[in-house]
Amino acid sequence: MERFVEGNRAALQDHVRRHREIHVVMGNEACDLDSTVSALALAYFLAKTTPAPKAAFVPVLNIPRADFALRTETTFLLREQGVPAASLVFRDEIDLGGLHRAGLLSLTLVDHHVLPGADAALEEAVVEVLDHRPLEGDRAPGCRVTAEPVGSCATLVTERIAQGPPGVLDRLTATLLHGTIVLDCVNLSPAAGKVTPRDVACVSLLEARFPELPARDAVFRALQAAKFDVSGLTTEQMLRKDLKVLSGDELVLAVSAIYVDLETFLRRPGLLQDLDAFCKARGYAGLVAMTISFNEQNEPSRQLAVYSQQETLRSAVCRALEEATAPSLHLRPLPSAWSCLSAYTQGNALASRKKVLPVLRAALGGPGTAGGPEEEVVPPPTPMNSLVEECPLAQAVPPLCPQDVLERVSRIAAGQPPGSPK
């Protein structure tokens, strides 16, 4: 796979220049680890197994290149496995519409099967769908469809590759698929309610063929920790990584999940200027930053900050949060160096952003109204840990131990199996 990925961009440019066919394999707009690895692995498999192919098989990451840094677990795994970001092709680097109009595009969708409205014209180019969600409608007669209820789309890709010619599955492909399935299926924990026997079978198959793969626990903890690692992001990237937007009659409020403790966040150099620039550039009247972090006992801690240059809005939002009863947040004020920013410790650690959004919606809409709609920003946020949004996995995610994570990450980076001497 190394040579395939490294040749992606050159193959794309060559086929565009020669007016030759291009077969794009593309994941969904969230572009999480599952979508990314599924696209890379399936495109590689198709390139290796399609008889006398006329088309160049090109995996495309369905986000702009500038947003790739926000997918921290994906950048971590690819970097650790020596896959250079410079070799990847992103959505803003290929003209899918132009290729389709020229009659040169074939499109395989992985980890999704419904194109957004802006891409409706590409529907005619879809020749295959590989997804682990239930189908929402029928496909064209010539479209090959695989839609199976498994925990990870990478499981379906692994099954496809395993049924192909021997030798196609190499170490890099196996490592990427293995890590993706383990992360998606919460370390194959039955209590999480996501893993299926097929996911377990694929992980076992990969481990049997490549016994040098790191242990599942090491992989899971390293990737889970990478999800929360925002140390390399700018303030603007941290705010965009997991962002929702609420619209009232006249105001727009940003609500960002932040994956460091509030004290660390507030100490970032130039923070106030960054907050002001972030809001002005996007037309936000204010911002609520909801932080989540873990103490040494692996217990979650929540804090929040309310920022706005409009004192009336800031006061209204703070009052709504302080007086909320469904749920009660048990807020305790924290010192703030700026009059335009109010900070709190949130005593009710179970009150996730999902539960706080209705409170903020009501504050924007005024008495007796529900406020405006909640909007997903573009690009969609990376799926995060269940403790943030309270999905069904909320009580099943193993706790993070920073020391253990660091040790295991170092072993993965060094290519050592867990438990081996350093």
Side-chain angles (χ1 to χ4, degrees), residues 109-333:
L109 304 180
V110 293
D111 201 24
H112 67 141
H113 62 272
V114 178
L115 288 169
D119 287 338
L122 301 179
E123 189 68 43
E124 299 170 349
V126 177
V127 296
E128 182 173 3
V129 165
L130 193 73
D131 197 7
H132 60 134
R133 298 168 182 81
L135 289 178
E136 296 182 17
D138 295 330
R139 309 295 307 187
C143 180
R144 176 176 179 175
V145 176
T146 304
E148 303 288 348
V150 293
S152 175
C153 189
T155 292
L156 301 178
V157 177
T158 303
E159 290 179 343
R160 178 84 164 270
I161 295 175
Q163 293 165 6
V168 174
L169 183 63
D170 59 18
R171 184 206 59 81
L172 175 58
T173 308
T175 302
L176 296 178
L177 291 167
H178 179 261
T180 301
I181 300 170
V182 168
L183 181 65
D184 266 7
C185 297
V186 197
N187 207 13
L188 309 188
S189 168
K194 192 172 181 181
V195 68
T196 71
R198 290 169 67 177
D199 300 298
V200 175
C202 281
V203 168
S204 298
L205 179 148
L206 294 169
E207 292 171 346
R209 293 197 186 181
F210 297 89
E212 69 274 18
L213 286 172
R216 301 169 189 175
D217 182 63
V219 172
F220 177 74
R221 289 180 180 272
L223 291 173
Q224 187 78 338
K227 274 189 176 185
F228 285 86
D229 181 10
V230 295
S231 58
L233 302 185
T234 66
T235 298
E236 186 261 353
Q237 288 173 327
M238 290 176 69
L239 295 171
R240 283 199 303 121
K241 180 174 173 66
D242 199 349
L243 170 67
K244 292 186 182 294
V245 177
L246 298 178
S247 301
D249 293 335
E250 300 178 355
L251 300 173
V252 181
L253 183 69
V255 187
S256 293
I258 304 291
Y259 302 99
V260 295
D261 65 88
L262 187 59
E263 182 181 4
T264 299
F265 181 67
L266 295 180
R267 285 202 309 262
R268 292 180 70 86
L271 177 69
L272 199 60
Q273 293 83 353
D274 289 342
L275 295 178
D276 187 55
F278 181 78
C279 290
K280 284 182 177 177
R282 294 161 176 78
Y284 302 150
L287 166 77
V288 177
M290 300 189 65
T291 74
I292 181 169
S293 56
F294 296 87
N295 62 19
E296 293 182 358
Q297 288 73 45
N298 307 311
E299 299 166 336
S301 174
R302 295 184 186 271
Q303 299 161 302
L304 58 85
V306 180
Y307 165 81
S308 178
Q309 295 288 353
Q310 301 180 26
E311 194 278 334
T312 302
L313 173 63
R314 189 179 65 259
S315 297
V317 171
C318 289
R319 184 167 57 251
L321 294 170
E322 292 169 358
E323 298 175 356
T325 57
S328 175
L329 304 183
H330 302 157
L331 297 182
R332 297 191 301 275

